[in-house]
Amino acid sequence: MNSAINGVAGSALLTDLYQLTMMQGYFENGMTDNAVFEFFVRKLPGESNFLLALGQEQALDYLTGLKFHQQELEWLGRQTFFTREFIDFLSHWRFSGDVDAMPEGTLLFADEPVLRVVAPIAQAQLVESRIINLLQLQTLIGSKAARVKLCAGERQLVDFGLRRAHGAEAGLLAARAAYIAGFAGTATVLAGQLFDIPLFGTMAHSYIQAHERETDAFLSFARAQPHNVVLLIDTYDTEAGAHNVVRIASQLRAMNIPIKAVRLDSGDLAEHAKKVRHILDQGGLSEVGIFASSSLDEYEIRDLLQRQAPIDGFGIGSRLTTAADNPFLDCVYKLQEYAGVARRKLSENKATWPGRKQVYRVLNRAGHLQHDLLTTLEDSQPGYALLAPVMRQGQRLSSQRSCAEVRNYVREQLKLLPPPLRRLQKSAPYTVKITPALKRLAEQVDRRAG
């Protein structure tokens, strides 16, 4: 991962303690065979009818070249958990495994493996915590952003969420996920640099308050940002602010400075937007757009559009970047095979399907999703396979795709959704069929366990 995101993001110590204590157990007991782990989501959150699998690019970057540095080894050696022999083993540790994954941005449903790691067990075990950490965040945020996009249609959407994100990396990766899901851009400047995401920004209420008069603030900002004139009009009185925009329009026109939009950030956005639209139109500013913010999400946008609010774009912040309605995914990274033998967890309400798996996707005649098939890796099925090799012996098989490339792929993926899955309310679950081959393997594993 780009070190500019976070200086410690690629550290081998960015893991849970039990990963290291288990590794020492494997080491002392001579357990060096290959293990197979798969990351998947147990169930979709809240009202979601689909997810977008995101974060694979960052996961692969993390695995590439991962190692323990000398100062990390020295610190571990001072802890009471580990032997000197184990610390010496870690000094030579590298990730040299294989990874198969869905293409980033693929539509995802419950129980479907997004990513599979095949590596000596001490390697595959260590990376669990960080892989979950990376895949969960962007899958969660990107999937919510996609719901916002489906609701907003062609209206402009901008990520405003950095200040409420749970840390710097979360804010940056949320901006990436939202852009990939269809947002026009972000207000987070570093995300623009790192991921080549278009930047958008307006002004804060403090800028208005710092001037003696609202019109002075509008004029000074327009002179300073002649190609980015979006004026925040609700610092004092929203409709009065709209009249002030009309009042200064002729002065700006004389300076060849166009007003792009006004922004609403408080109160009843639908009612204010209707009144402001009337004021602007009456003042000869029908070309000036209305942009709204203020704790928005897909549900708020749906309600605004149902009320026929004349809003052309939305800034989405806190509720998106924190995934406020469903702030985590029920996702896991589970052992499916060790030493060539399929394994299965049978815990109550948490049973897994064993072995290395593949997902086949079948479309109907309209080109929409019909059903998926979850099966063993060797069992070919109708449709097209979703998981493909992306890393062999610790080396990526292709260069990282740009955000623009993944964004285009997501646009095509969302077209596959049938109407029921595009709705904000919960529909009947999408069908993921378990094949006879996978059921037989599960029965074999259960008999062995019994």
Side-chain angles (χ1 to χ4, degrees), residues 39-40 52-60 104 114-115 129-141 329 331-333:
F39 173 91
F40 61 95
L52 291 177
L54 296 175
Q56 294 96 308
E57 293 289 353
Q58 278 68 43
L60 292 175
E104 193 171 27
V114 172
L115 177 145
S129 300
R130 183 61 169 153
I131 283 178
I132 294 175
N133 174 251
L134 287 167
L135 295 180
Q136 181 201 234
L137 175 69
Q138 291 192 74
T139 297
L140 184 67
I141 303 303
L329 285 178
C331 58
V332 290
Y333 173 92

Side-chain angles (χ1 to χ4, degrees), residues 8 21 127 169 174 182 203 222 229 240 312 334 336 370 407:
V8 300
T21 57
V127 301
E169 184 186 56
M203 57 170 61
V229 182
D312 305 292
K334 291 300 181 184
Q336 312 291 34
Q370 179 170 299
R407 174 183 167 89

